[in-house]
Amino acid sequence: MDFSNCWLDYRPMEIKEQALSALSVLCEGEIIESAVKEYQLALSRMTGREPEVFREKTNRCVALYLEPLLPIGKDGYEIKKEKDSYHITGQSESGVLYGVFHFLRLIRTGHMDELPVSNAPEMPLRMMNHWDNMDGTIERGYSGNSFFYENYEILYNERIEQYVRLMASIGINAIVINNVNVHQRETYLITDTYLEQVKQYAALFARYGIQLFTSVNFAAPMELSGFDNCDPLNDKVAQWWKDAVKHIYEVIPEFGGFLVKADSEGRPGPFTYDRTHADGANMLAKALAPYGGIVVWRCFVYNCGQDWRDKKTDRARAAYDNFIALDGQFEDNVILQIKNGPMDFQVREPVSPLFGGLKKTNMILEVEIAQEYTGQQIDLCYLLPMWREILDFDTFSEGEGSTVRQIVKGAQYGQNCCGMAAVINTGNDYNWTGNDLAAANTYGYGRMAMNPSLTSEAIAKEWIELTFGAAVADDLTKILMDSWPTYEKYTSPLGIGWMVTPHYHYGPDVDGYEYDRWGTYHRADRNGLGIDRTPAGTGYTAQYNEPWSAIYADRNLCPEELLLFFHYVRYDEVLKSGKTLIQHIYDTHFEGVEEVEEMIERFDGLQNKLPGDVYDRVRERMERQLENAIEWRDRINTYFYRKSGVPDEKGRKIYE
């Protein structure tokens, strides 16, 4: 089996139904042709025979229809059986393509009894953010090097086409091809130095219903044309961008737009000129608007030069403080990209209060598939249960029921520019994600963005059946579903986070960031730990709507999984479980290691049911995870034993 095909591995299977061996194509377009090509490829590999393709109506076949006025939502589709034929009808060309991929999933997993099916993508924008650099490296990449770039050249090969098929199969409709931290050479991606090569990507993406975006350097006029400033209210700067955008669309008519990281972690932006984020974003938006392009403006903006002695400045407050006053000031083709939490992709954070604060601004939810702080595709951490909690979080922005899901799908405030974006975890490793099981997060993100009503467990099982077969589905689903809680147990006590090795973010270093400039503190002392973010502390809790503002500020009401994020707590305080805080820390870190050992034992039972190379790759990662979990357990428990002087009441080994 070729696991470079991931979940599109159309392995041989017995298909008796004659209707599946013919395809009647009753619509046309380049995306339709991609759907036809995919069906031909799938049936050829599964049956050894290429299906017949007819360009007229015929009986006993799979028929593709296009009905633009189909009342099921943009890019929606229907699949049903009528007598001796199957009908796949799309509201758009993309809808037909998504319908074909869904139909092939049903065939491969043996779930044809689920027909009829009617579905439409819930999130309007379903974006992948690549953090690839043109030298071939990937920032926060854990799966080899870039398959887009090598030595400052743009690659084009079969792997790129394979990647685009994978993305289309899970409903992705927008891809950013370069790092949000735009370096010197990447600045030239929007110029003739690379535009013709970028055009090749854009044309390929378009054939699968995907728009290409680039991350841009806000200071590009200075770096490319020698301007002495990039003030967004400078008419000459605005005109430079209008000219640049006009030329981009002359070369690439299907270009999607820009992703921008500005005034963040050293990146240039409008703050340099005493301008607002709205000033900066709107300048670019006005340049893109005539062509239907959009600006995705990241809200990851904070003071990265903080003094650890300062207990009032709070990184968690930064995104809200920087953007809430600008609500309603952005152009219609600007989208604010907001990280799921107020800090930075920790294993446990509260939902960003911006989702409950902004009401007149387009926004998308940003999550991280790449496991920067959640095991780096060494330690297993299936992230969909986390994302489910985020989407289901009720912001109370307009009373009960104002969930993040309602907001980012556009139902809460009626915006059209909204959805989800994810920092992707793929590289040029043979299996794309280093750890074969990490591909569940890639697959799952797309499926959840398409249809958030699907459960995390159902998506996991579907991915397993497509990738490895039904024989291992129950055991691997159990392993995946337990992995996030397990990882949390041996790393982050009650939402505190950040006890990681600086820069690399893998493995424990309890005080690694404690006296640094990044605003990532745990404030542990001999009596307790945690951050006071109540009105008496940093005041962060006030950024939430009621009842969350009051709940988070109340030590007795605050959800315990976030307790140390919002409160300083003494080691001897008793939690709802009846344990003291210090005993909770000891217990969860021992439990985390035990659960990794149980996971390995369960996985070992699948050795004869998985291909040998897959088993070996995953088993090697699990051994590394166990070593990591033990190191976390011993360092965290020893650290807090030394701080508190309180022994483990169960008498287990803690190093002094």
Side-chain angles (χ1 to χ4, degrees), residues 182-198:
V182 184
H183 306 295
Q184 183 179 24
R185 289 292 289 274
E186 288 82 4
T187 303
Y188 284 86
L189 279 171
I190 60 172
T191 73
D192 283 334
T193 303
Y194 292 111
L195 270 181
E196 285 296 330
Q197 293 166 281
V198 174

Side-chain angles (χ1 to χ4, degrees), residues 153-186:
E153 295 294 329
I154 297 179
L155 307 174
Y156 195 99
N157 49 44
E158 289 184 3
R159 188 173 179 86
I160 303 299
E161 296 182 7
Q162 189 178 22
Y163 163 77
V164 176
R165 289 176 46 241
L166 288 167
M167 294 300 100
S169 74
I170 55 175
I172 300 305
N173 64 359
I175 295 173
V176 185
I177 63 170
N178 64 300
N179 193 352
V180 293
N181 295 311
V182 184
H183 306 295
Q184 183 179 24
R185 289 292 289 274
E186 288 82 4

